Amino acid sequence: MRPVSKNTVMTMEAYRSQAEVLVKSYLLADTLVPFTSVVGGILACKLVYDLTQLISMFYFRTYASLTKIQRTEWNNRGMSTVHSIFITATSLYFVFWSDLFSDRLAGPVTFRHSPLSTFYLGVSVGYFLSDLGMIFWLYPSLGGMEYVIHHSLSGIAVAYSMASGEGQLYTYMVLISEITTPEINMRWFLDTSGMKKSAAYLINGVVIFIAWLVARVLLFVYLFYHVYLHYHQVTGAFSAHVFNLYLQLSKESPTSDSSEHLSPPLS
């Protein structure tokens, strides 16, 4: 094996250093994280959509026989599957393995965030915007009003947590429930491919039941238990919002302005 020259090693280190500076200065800069992450999420959705179309054309014979709207939904479900796997893995890391939300750290857990946790939420916001845009563009072929409401509320909730940095732990807990999306999409893929009576369809149904039980029932029991243990922090965060809102309204109200003008000067 030919040894790597010193100049090559130095060049590689220089590129690596430049990449780290780029990530820290732009992609993970506090002021740019929301923008870059959302745009990155939208671009990633476009890339996954195109790759799903390309791979399906070569490796799935059923794909060519589908109608145009079915192919669009096929690609769209491929996009949502990749997002769900990505955000589920990210959420599991932040909730159970990262020290960011650990009780060993000082300060309320409701206000903790990091550039990385904010960035990943922004990627998810980019997905919700992309999917919602497709739903509106092809309405109602990809879903009715229930899909619009679901994606709108989900996107707004995640976007608020991303922009404010508040409640990110509980946002990630809820996003773990996205683990049921790949199985639901697989059910549609198998049904569309004419494999509804196959063993794979039956096994996928069992997996859906287990994933739904864990991610949509047991997980939310754990979430409510965690809120109960940190109830004073959650209510404290809510009280702080109400107090800040009251101060803003007081500063901007006509009554407060007039009272300042009518106050007698101090002697």
Coordinates of all heavy atoms in Angstrom, one line a residue, residues 20-59:
E20 N -15.2 22.3 9.5 CA -15.6 22.5 10.9 C -16.0 24.0 11.2 O -17.0 24.3 11.8 CB -14.5 22.1 11.9 CG -14.3 20.6 11.9 CD -13.2 20.2 12.9 OE1 -12.5 21.1 13.4 OE2 -13.1 19.0 13.1
V21 N -15.1 24.9 10.6 CA -15.4 26.3 10.7 C -16.7 26.7 10.0 O -17.5 27.4 10.6 CB -14.3 27.1 10.2 CG1 -14.6 28.6 10.1 CG2 -13.0 27.0 11.0
L22 N -16.9 26.1 8.9 CA -18.2 26.4 8.1 C -19.4 25.9 8.9 O -20.4 26.6 9.0 CB -18.1 25.6 6.8 CG -19.4 25.7 5.9 CD1 -19.6 27.2 5.5 CD2 -19.3 24.8 4.7
V23 N -19.3 24.7 9.5 CA -20.5 24.2 10.3 C -20.7 25.0 11.5 O -21.9 25.4 11.8 CB -20.2 22.7 10.7 CG1 -21.3 22.3 11.6 CG2 -20.2 21.8 9.4
K24 N -19.7 25.4 12.2 CA -19.8 26.1 13.5 C -20.2 27.6 13.2 O -21.0 28.2 14.0 CB -18.5 26.1 14.3 CG -18.2 24.7 14.8 CD -16.9 24.8 15.6 CE -16.5 23.4 16.2 NZ -15.2 23.4 16.9
S25 N -19.7 28.2 12.1 CA -19.9 29.6 11.9 C -21.2 29.9 11.2 O -21.8 31.0 11.3 CB -18.7 30.2 11.1 OG -17.5 30.0 11.7
Y26 N -21.7 28.9 10.4 CA -22.9 29.2 9.6 C -24.0 28.2 9.9 O -25.1 28.6 10.3 CB -22.5 29.1 8.1 CG -21.6 30.2 7.6 CD1 -20.2 29.9 7.6 CD2 -22.1 31.4 7.3 CE1 -19.3 30.9 7.2 CE2 -21.2 32.4 6.9 CZ -19.8 32.2 6.9 OH -19.0 33.2 6.5
L27 N -23.8 26.9 9.7 CA -24.9 25.9 9.9 C -25.4 25.9 11.3 O -26.5 25.7 11.6 CB -24.4 24.5 9.4 CG -24.1 24.4 7.9 CD1 -23.8 22.9 7.6 CD2 -25.3 24.8 7.1
L28 N -24.4 26.0 12.3 CA -24.8 25.9 13.7 C -24.6 27.2 14.4 O -24.6 27.2 15.7 CB -24.0 24.8 14.4 CG -24.2 23.4 13.9 CD1 -23.3 22.4 14.7 CD2 -25.7 23.0 14.0
A29 N -24.5 28.3 13.7 CA -24.5 29.6 14.4 C -25.9 29.9 14.9 O -26.9 29.7 14.3 CB -24.1 30.7 13.4
D30 N -25.9 30.4 16.2 CA -27.2 30.6 16.8 C -28.2 31.4 16.0 O -29.4 31.1 16.0 CB -27.0 31.3 18.2 CG -26.3 30.4 19.2 OD1 -26.4 29.2 19.0 OD2 -25.8 30.9 20.2
T31 N -27.8 32.5 15.3 CA -28.7 33.3 14.6 C -29.1 32.7 13.3 O -30.1 33.1 12.7 CB -28.0 34.7 14.3 OG1 -26.8 34.5 13.6 CG2 -27.8 35.4 15.6
L32 N -28.3 31.7 12.8 CA -28.6 31.2 11.4 C -29.2 29.8 11.5 O -29.6 29.2 10.5 CB -27.4 31.2 10.6 CG -26.8 32.6 10.2 CD1 -25.5 32.4 9.4 CD2 -27.8 33.4 9.4
V33 N -29.2 29.1 12.7 CA -29.6 27.7 12.8 C -31.0 27.5 12.3 O -31.3 26.6 11.5 CB -29.5 27.2 14.2 CG1 -30.3 26.0 14.4 CG2 -28.0 26.9 14.5
P34 N -32.0 28.3 12.7 CA -33.4 28.1 12.2 C -33.5 28.2 10.7 O -34.2 27.4 10.1 CB -34.2 29.2 12.9 CG -33.4 29.6 14.1 CD -32.0 29.4 13.7
F35 N -32.8 29.2 10.1 CA -32.9 29.4 8.7 C -32.3 28.2 7.9 O -32.9 27.6 7.0 CB -32.3 30.7 8.3 CG -32.3 30.9 6.8 CD1 -33.4 31.3 6.0 CD2 -31.0 30.8 6.1 CE1 -33.3 31.5 4.7 CE2 -31.0 31.0 4.7 CZ -32.1 31.3 4.0
T36 N -31.0 28.0 8.2 CA -30.2 26.9 7.5 C -30.8 25.5 7.7 O -30.8 24.7 6.8 CB -28.8 26.9 8.0 OG1 -28.7 26.7 9.4 CG2 -28.1 28.2 7.6
S37 N -31.4 25.3 8.9 CA -31.9 23.9 9.1 C -33.2 23.7 8.4 O -33.4 22.6 7.8 CB -32.2 23.7 10.6 OG -33.0 24.7 11.2
V38 N -34.1 24.7 8.3 CA -35.3 24.6 7.6 C -35.1 24.5 6.1 O -35.7 23.6 5.4 CB -36.3 25.8 7.9 CG1 -37.5 25.7 7.0 CG2 -36.7 25.8 9.3
V39 N -34.2 25.3 5.6 CA -33.9 25.2 4.1 C -33.2 23.9 3.8 O -33.5 23.2 2.8 CB -32.9 26.4 3.7 CG1 -32.4 26.2 2.3 CG2 -33.7 27.7 3.9
G40 N -32.3 23.4 4.7 CA -31.7 22.1 4.6 C -32.7 21.0 4.6 O -32.5 20.0 3.8
G41 N -33.7 21.1 5.4 CA -34.7 20.1 5.5 C -35.5 20.0 4.2 O -35.8 18.9 3.7
I42 N -35.8 21.2 3.7 CA -36.6 21.2 2.4 C -35.8 20.6 1.3 O -36.3 19.8 0.4 CB -37.0 22.7 2.1 CG1 -38.0 23.2 3.1 CG2 -37.6 22.8 0.7 CD1 -38.4 24.7 3.0
L43 N -34.5 21.0 1.2 CA -33.6 20.5 0.1 C -33.4 19.0 0.3 O -33.4 18.2 -0.7 CB -32.3 21.2 0.2 CG -32.3 22.7 -0.2 CD1 -30.9 23.3 -0.1 CD2 -32.8 22.9 -1.6
A44 N -33.3 18.5 1.5 CA -33.2 17.1 1.8 C -34.4 16.3 1.3 O -34.3 15.2 0.8 CB -32.9 16.8 3.3
C45 N -35.6 16.9 1.6 CA -36.9 16.2 1.1 C -36.9 16.1 -0.4 O -37.3 15.1 -0.9 CB -38.0 17.1 1.6 SG -38.4 16.9 3.4
K46 N -36.5 17.2 -1.1 CA -36.4 17.1 -2.5 C -35.5 16.0 -3.0 O -35.8 15.3 -3.9 CB -36.0 18.5 -3.1 CG -35.7 18.5 -4.6 CD -36.9 18.2 -5.4 CE -36.6 18.4 -6.9 NZ -37.7 17.9 -7.7
L47 N -34.3 15.9 -2.4 CA -33.3 14.9 -2.7 C -33.9 13.5 -2.5 O -33.8 12.6 -3.4 CB -32.1 15.1 -1.9 CG -30.9 14.1 -2.2 CD1 -30.5 14.1 -3.6 CD2 -29.8 14.3 -1.2
V48 N -34.5 13.3 -1.4 CA -35.0 11.9 -1.0 C -36.2 11.6 -2.0 O -36.3 10.5 -2.4 CB -35.5 11.9 0.4 CG1 -36.2 10.6 0.7 CG2 -34.3 12.0 1.4
Y49 N -37.0 12.6 -2.3 CA -38.1 12.4 -3.2 C -37.6 11.9 -4.6 O -38.1 10.9 -5.2 CB -38.9 13.7 -3.4 CG -40.2 13.5 -4.3 CD1 -41.4 13.2 -3.7 CD2 -40.1 13.7 -5.7 CE1 -42.5 13.2 -4.6 CE2 -41.2 13.6 -6.5 CZ -42.4 13.3 -5.9 OH -43.5 13.2 -6.7
D50 N -36.6 12.6 -5.1 CA -36.0 12.2 -6.4 C -35.3 10.9 -6.4 O -35.4 10.1 -7.3 CB -35.1 13.3 -6.9 CG -35.7 14.6 -7.2 OD1 -37.0 14.6 -7.4 OD2 -35.1 15.7 -7.2
L51 N -34.6 10.6 -5.3 CA -34.0 9.3 -5.1 C -35.0 8.1 -5.0 O -34.8 7.1 -5.6 CB -33.0 9.3 -3.9 CG -31.7 10.1 -4.0 CD1 -31.0 10.1 -2.7 CD2 -30.9 9.5 -5.1
T52 N -36.1 8.4 -4.3 CA -37.1 7.4 -4.3 C -37.7 7.0 -5.6 O -37.9 5.9 -6.0 CB -38.3 7.8 -3.3 OG1 -37.7 8.1 -2.0 CG2 -39.4 6.8 -3.2
Q53 N -37.9 8.1 -6.4 CA -38.4 7.9 -7.8 C -37.4 7.1 -8.6 O -37.8 6.2 -9.4 CB -38.7 9.3 -8.4 CG -39.3 9.2 -9.8 CD -39.5 10.6 -10.4 OE1 -38.9 11.6 -10.0 NE2 -40.5 10.7 -11.3
L54 N -36.1 7.5 -8.5 CA -35.1 6.9 -9.3 C -34.9 5.4 -9.0 O -34.9 4.5 -9.8 CB -33.8 7.6 -9.2 CG -32.6 7.1 -10.0 CD1 -32.9 7.3 -11.5 CD2 -31.3 7.9 -9.6
I55 N -34.8 5.1 -7.7 CA -34.6 3.7 -7.2 C -35.9 2.9 -7.5 O -35.7 1.7 -8.0 CB -34.4 3.7 -5.7 CG1 -33.0 4.4 -5.4 CG2 -34.4 2.3 -5.2 CD1 -32.7 4.6 -4.0
S56 N -37.0 3.4 -7.4 CA -38.3 2.6 -7.6 C -38.4 2.3 -9.1 O -38.9 1.2 -9.4 CB -39.5 3.5 -7.2 OG -39.4 3.7 -5.8
M57 N -38.0 3.1 -10.0 CA -38.1 2.9 -11.4 C -37.2 1.7 -11.8 O -37.6 0.9 -12.7 CB -37.6 4.1 -12.2 CG -38.6 5.3 -12.2 SD -38.0 6.7 -13.0 CE -37.7 6.1 -14.7
F58 N -36.1 1.5 -11.1 CA -35.2 0.4 -11.5 C -35.4 -0.9 -10.7 O -35.1 -2.0 -11.2 CB -33.7 0.9 -11.3 CG -33.3 1.8 -12.4 CD1 -33.3 3.2 -12.1 CD2 -32.9 1.4 -13.6 CE1 -32.9 4.1 -13.1 CE2 -32.4 2.3 -14.6 CZ -32.5 3.6 -14.4
Y59 N -35.9 -0.8 -9.5 CA -35.9 -2.0 -8.6 C -37.3 -2.5 -8.3 O -37.5 -3.5 -7.6 CB -35.1 -1.7 -7.3 CG -33.7 -1.5 -7.6 CD1 -33.1 -0.3 -7.7 CD2 -32.8 -2.6 -7.7 CE1 -31.8 -0.1 -7.9 CE2 -31.5 -2.5 -8.0 CZ -30.9 -1.2 -8.1 OH -29.6 -1.0 -8.3

